[in-house]
């Protein structure tokens, strides 16, 4: 039995990819910039099988999950895209699994599409003896899920229409917490959100606003101005969620707990003059990023505000995956 396996991490955007210039090719309307979440990964295994189609099933994991039929179709279409790129005709059984709970509402499309692309390239490179660079793989991954192209490198990654790759800064190690205020399947998938936001009157100025914020984020990271970074990233996730709220018809991912956690982070900053960079994906959960020298501050925030209220998933050892 011949099989190929790949594992890839998720990432969280500080400047969000929202809106597409070309929906078929996933050409983004604006540049995006992310931090890779090395501790939250998806694993994909491909095995050659007989028959006339590729199939999907859940892989082995402490956190098993099911994929919707639309999700499966998108996943297997992406495998076909990679196979067509190589001219590979073999049929595969695809197994995928996450190392984090599927019911906690963390977007896993970045890690799962990156892992699928990587495993498919491994298989197709072996079967065809063609070879491609990491960047070419990542660009192909973007065709399946735009945000997945940023998961091919650790640390900070910048995706612009014509360029993609890692970025170096003095701040190069961050701790991450995601506060799970709500789980379950999203009512509006991110693919649908990309389409819906075009109906918002705020969409017109979006590319220019993200361009200005990206400049400030890069400046904040170069100069080490953490509090400026916090403010710009805060404004950016609100901008994306404002697009959702002002689409016609409007939609929202916020839950009551979202407001509560956001308010706690803001009060913490006001009280301490320091705190985490806060952001949200297209979901209700709140992501917090801390510098490595803020560990005791991060634990203080966790003990005071999260520990007895919310399930929190973190790469800070003392927290790990804490369910309440
Ligand atoms: O990769 P997609 O098409 O699922 O887009 C998701 C984009 C966001 O996660 C909402 C933002 C981002 O840049 O990661």
């Amino acid at each position: 039995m011949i099989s190929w396996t790949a594992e890839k991490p998720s990432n969280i955007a500080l400047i969000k990819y929202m809106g597409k210039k070309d929906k078929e090719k996933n050409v983004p309307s604006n540049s995006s910039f992310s931090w890779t979440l090395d501790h939250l990964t998806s694993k994909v295994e491909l095995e050659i099988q007989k028959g006339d189609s590729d199939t999907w099933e859940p892989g082995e994991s402490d956190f098993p999950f099911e994929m919707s039929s639309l999700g499966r179709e998108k996943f297997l279409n992406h495998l076909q895209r990679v196979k067509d790129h190589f001219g590979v005709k073999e049929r595969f059984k695809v197994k995928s699994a996450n190392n984090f709970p599927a019911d906690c509402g963390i977007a896993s499309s970045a890690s799962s599409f990156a892992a699928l692309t990587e495993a498919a390239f491994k298989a197709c490179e072996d079967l065809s003896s063609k070879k491609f660079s990491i960047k070419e793989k990542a660009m192909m991954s973007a065709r399946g899920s735009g945000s997945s192209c940023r998961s091919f490198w650790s640390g900070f990654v910048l995706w612009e229409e014509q360029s993609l790759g890692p970025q170096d800064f003095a701040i190069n190690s961050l701790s991450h917490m995601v506060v799970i205020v709500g789980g379950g399947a999203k009512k509006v998938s991110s693919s649908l959100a990309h389409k819906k936001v075009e109906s918002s009157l705020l969409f017109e100025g979006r590319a220019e606003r993200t361009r200005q914020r990206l400049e400030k984020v890069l400046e904040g990271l170069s100069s080490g101005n953490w509090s400026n970074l916090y403010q710009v990233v805060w404004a950016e996730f609100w901008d994306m969620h404002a697009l959702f709220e002002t689409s016609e018809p409007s939609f929202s991912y916020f839950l009551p707990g979202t407001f509560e956690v956001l308010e706690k982070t803001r009060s913490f900053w006001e009280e301490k003059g320091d705190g985490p960079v806060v952001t949200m994906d297209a979901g209700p959960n709140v992501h917090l990023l801390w510098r490595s020298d803020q560990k005791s501050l991060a634990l203080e925030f966790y003990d005071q505000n999260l520990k007895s209220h919310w399930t929190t998933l973190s790469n800070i050892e003392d927290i790990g995956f804490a369910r309440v």
Side-chain angles (χ1 to χ4, degrees), residues 239-258:
D239 191 314
M240 180 175 78
H241 284 267
L243 290 178
F244 302 154
E245 285 289 0
T246 53
S247 291
E248 292 177 11
S250 73
F251 60 103
S252 172
Y253 297 97
F254 274 61
L255 292 174
T258 311

Side-chain angles (χ1 to χ4, degrees), residues 272-309:
K272 307 273 179 194
D274 198 3
V277 163
V278 184
T279 191
M280 290 174 61
D281 203 41
N285 302 320
V286 181
H287 292 256
L288 308 179
L289 292 166
W290 305 82
R291 300 185 315 268
S292 45
D293 61 300
Q294 286 179 308
K295 190 170 172 205
S296 58
L297 206 62
L299 286 174
E300 184 184 334
F301 180 80
Y302 173 73
D303 285 341
Q304 271 177 15
N305 301 296
L306 306 177
K307 196 173 177 175
S308 52
H309 301 281

Side-chain angles (χ1 to χ4, degrees), residues 13 16-18 109 145-147 150 190 194 281-282:
K16 314 288 177 185
Y17 153 53
M18 186 42 60
S109 81
S145 151
S147 58
R150 301 185 309 240
S190 50
H194 284 291
D281 203 41

Side-chain angles (χ1 to χ4, degrees), residues 8-11 34-38 133-139 148-158 164-167:
K8 284 280 172 202
S10 188
N11 69 74
S34 60
W35 173 257
T36 299
L37 304 174
D38 290 318
S133 66
I134 298 187
K135 194 173 159 191
E136 285 166 319
K137 270 189 268 191
M139 291 308 287
S148 73
C149 73
R150 301 185 309 240
S151 283
F152 281 74
W153 295 271
S154 278
F156 292 107
V157 179
L158 178 60
L164 169 66
Q167 302 283 309

